[in-house]
Amino acid sequence: MRALLWSCVSLVLASGAPAGTLEEIQARGTLRACFAPIDARFAMTSPPGCEEDCVFSGLHVGQVTAFAEALGVELEPSMHSWQSLFEDQEGRVRAGESYIPRLLVDGTCDLFPSNLARLAWRLEMMEIVPLYSSRMIAVIHPEASGQLRRVADFAGKTTAMAAESSFES
């Protein structure tokens, strides 16, 4: 839990964006966390699709709630489309360019609690603090273990992965 809290603090402090600094967050008494509905296990609202007086739940919501409590502030959650996390002031996503996402610039969000993959183009626009190490793993049938040893061996093969994830592209 302590590692999670310091990782979230690092996310807030390391961002060069006009989102609230730790001091500003504590002074106003709220942490503005912007969730994206990528998976109901991580963040969801009840009733689904609600825009006001929503009840938030999910793994990321629980983690950020604990973080807000540790800071002594209230959580102010909001739900946003996945794409909006990366949009510039004109509502465009400019992969590969350096800019600060609109939701951080306009102060709507202090942080984006999410399972963001640390892609190079995303690192140009925000600090992404990993909460845990991960790696891409291929699970194969035991009969194929001698045939599939290197990445090149997977050429032309069919795989399954999380839909709409960074791995799908």
Side-chain angles (χ1 to χ4, degrees):
M1 179 58 98
R2 184 175 300 271
L4 167 67
L5 297 177
W6 283 115
S7 293
C8 289
V9 167
S10 297
L11 176 61
V12 173
L13 295 177
S15 172
T21 65
L22 181 57
E23 292 79 16
E24 291 167 343
I25 291 165
Q26 289 176 317
R28 77 169 171 262
T30 58
L31 174 64
R32 297 176 298 219
C34 295
F35 297 93
I38 56 171
D39 188 314
R41 294 172 297 179
F42 300 131
M44 64 179 283
T45 58
S46 181
C50 78
E51 295 184 15
E52 292 184 26
D53 301 320
C54 304
V55 174
F56 284 76
S57 61
L59 176 64
H60 292 159
V61 176
Q63 291 171 333
V64 176
T65 298
F67 177 52
E69 289 172 1
L71 293 177
V73 300
E74 294 293 319
L75 178 63
E76 188 179 299
S78 57
M79 194 68 77
H80 301 268
S81 72
W82 180 253
Q83 179 166 324
S84 71
L85 301 183
F86 310 104
E87 291 175 351
D88 65 11
Q89 294 295 87
E90 289 79 43
R92 297 176 296 139
V93 175
R94 302 182 339 236
E97 295 183 37
S98 181
Y99 63 96
I100 300 171
R102 175 184 50 84
L103 293 173
L104 294 174
V105 170
D106 68 15
T108 299
C109 309
D110 293 315
L111 57 89
F112 302 146
S114 183
N115 281 352
L116 284 176
R118 292 175 51 97
L119 303 178
W121 70 271
R122 291 179 181 161
L123 293 170
E124 289 291 320
M125 66 177 68
M126 66 182 80
E127 182 72 25
I128 301 175
V129 179
L131 298 179
Y132 49 85
S133 298
S134 65
R135 66 179 101 172
M136 201 178 317
I137 297 172
V139 179
I140 60 174
H141 193 279
E143 292 175 7
S145 65
Q147 303 162 11
L148 303 171
R149 295 245 178 233
R150 300 171 295 132
V151 172
D153 296 339
F154 287 87
K157 304 291 189 263
T158 302
T159 63
M161 65 203 66
E164 299 179 15
S165 71
S166 299
F167 304 116
E168 186 178 33
S169 56

